[in-house]
Amino acid sequence: MVKIAVLVSGGGTNLQALIDAQNKVIKSGKISLVISNKEGAYALERAKKAGIESKVVLKKELGSQEAFEEKIIEILEEKGIELIILAGFMSILSENFTKKYDKRIINVHPSLIPSFCGEGFYGLRVHEAALKKGVKVTGATVHFVNEIPDGGEIILQKAVNIKKNDTPETLQKRVMEIAEWKILPKATEMVCKNLKK
Ligand code: GAR
C-alpha cells in the first residue's frame, strides 16, 4: 500500500470522498495521515471519525513559509509518506517542496484547467469567475503539483454544465458532487498503482 497524506485547510469534503473510497476505488494506497494548516478545520473531525492520525501545522507559529514547509516535510518523512494529496489545501508550496516530491503531490482544482486557475483562484472565487465570464461548461481537474500554481501535468478532468440560475454556491456544490469527489479518488488510485510499479 502506498502511504498517503492528505493536506487540508477547511471543510474537507474531498478528504471525506477519499475516506469513503478507501478499499473501494482506492485499493493501492492507504490514507495514513491528515495535515491541516488551520486550527479547528472540520476536515480534522472527519479524520478523527475515520481513525486517521492528524496534525496541525501553523505558519504563524513557525514564522516563515520555509519553516512551515520544513515542519511538514519532517512529519511526512517521519511517517514514511509516499504520496501527498492537496484536498482544499489553501497554501501555495514552494519549488523547494514540490521538487522534493516530484510526481508525488496531486491537487484537486475546481475548474477545467487552464481556465480559472493559478494564484488567487481558489474555493468560491473560481466559481465566481466562471459565472462572471459566462462560460457554459466548467468542471474540476486533478493534476500533479509543480512549482507553477495549478501548472503541473493533468491527470483527470470532468466537465459540469452551468445552469441558468447558478450562484457561486450552487455551482461549487455541483462541481464537487459531479466532478471533484469522483475524479480525486480515481486519480489517487491511478497514481498509487503507478508508484507501486
Ligand atoms: C474544493 O472545491 C477544492 O477543489 C478547492 O477548495 C475546495 C475545498 O473543499 N480547492 C482549490 O480551490 C485549490 N486551488 P473541501 O475542503 O470541502 O474539500
Side-chain angles (χ1 to χ4, degrees):
M1 288 279 192
V2 173
K3 279 185 122 183
I4 303 169
V6 185
L7 274 53
V8 298
S9 303
T13 65
N14 279 289
L15 168 66
Q16 191 65 53
L18 291 166
I19 291 170
D20 295 344
Q22 188 74 68
N23 301 324
K24 297 183 186 95
V25 175
I26 305 172
K27 292 180 178 145
S28 311
K30 185 172 192 293
I31 305 160
S32 310
L33 178 68
V34 169
I35 300 178
S36 172
N37 69 339
K38 291 271 179 318
E39 274 168 314
Y42 190 66
L44 292 165
E45 278 301 311
R46 297 181 190 271
K48 195 174 167 191
K49 278 189 194 141
I52 300 164
E53 185 184 350
S54 66
K55 301 261 186 208
V56 176
V57 181
L58 303 175
K59 191 163 140 181
K60 63 171 192 269
E61 269 180 9
L62 292 154
S64 68
Q65 181 69 20
E66 208 184 336
F68 169 71
E69 292 183 1
E70 268 170 19
K71 183 73 199 167
I72 294 176
I73 291 170
E74 187 189 305
I75 297 168
L76 296 172
E77 286 183 345
E78 199 182 285
K79 303 280 166 214
I81 296 300
E82 301 165 275
L83 176 67
I84 301 160
I85 303 179
L86 309 184
F89 184 64
M90 302 303 182
S91 178
I92 293 175
L93 296 167
S94 75
E95 186 169 359
N96 181 45
F97 190 108
T98 59
K99 278 245 163 78
K100 199 170 163 64
Y101 289 96
D102 188 36
K103 290 280 164 67
R104 285 175 182 270
I105 313 173
I106 68 174
N107 178 49
V108 61
H109 182 77
S111 76
L112 293 174
I113 289 175
S115 289
F116 314 116
C117 66
E119 250 182 288
F121 286 101
Y122 56 86
L124 263 188
R125 289 183 183 207
V126 178
H127 305 292
E128 280 163 8
L131 290 176
K132 197 169 167 205
K133 186 69 193 177
V135 292
K136 304 300 175 206
V137 178
T138 185
T141 303
V142 178
H143 62 93
F144 284 112
V145 174
N146 65 9
E147 69 283 1
I148 304 156
D150 298 321
E153 186 191 325
I154 291 170
I155 304 166
L156 283 177
Q157 290 189 303
K158 190 158 185 191
V160 175
N161 287 328
I162 289 179
K163 293 184 179 168
K164 225 170 105 198
N165 295 321
D166 262 330
T167 62
E169 289 79 9
T170 61
L171 184 56
Q172 179 181 53
K173 185 163 178 279
R174 220 167 51 258
V175 168
M176 283 177 158
E177 286 171 356
I178 298 177
E180 296 185 49
W181 302 342
K182 299 275 187 321
I183 63 173
L184 184 58
K186 261 194 202 165
T188 299
E189 175 58 15
M190 284 165 62
V191 173
C192 286
K193 243 185 166 166
N194 251 322
L195 285 177
K196 286 201 329 184
K197 272 183 194 160

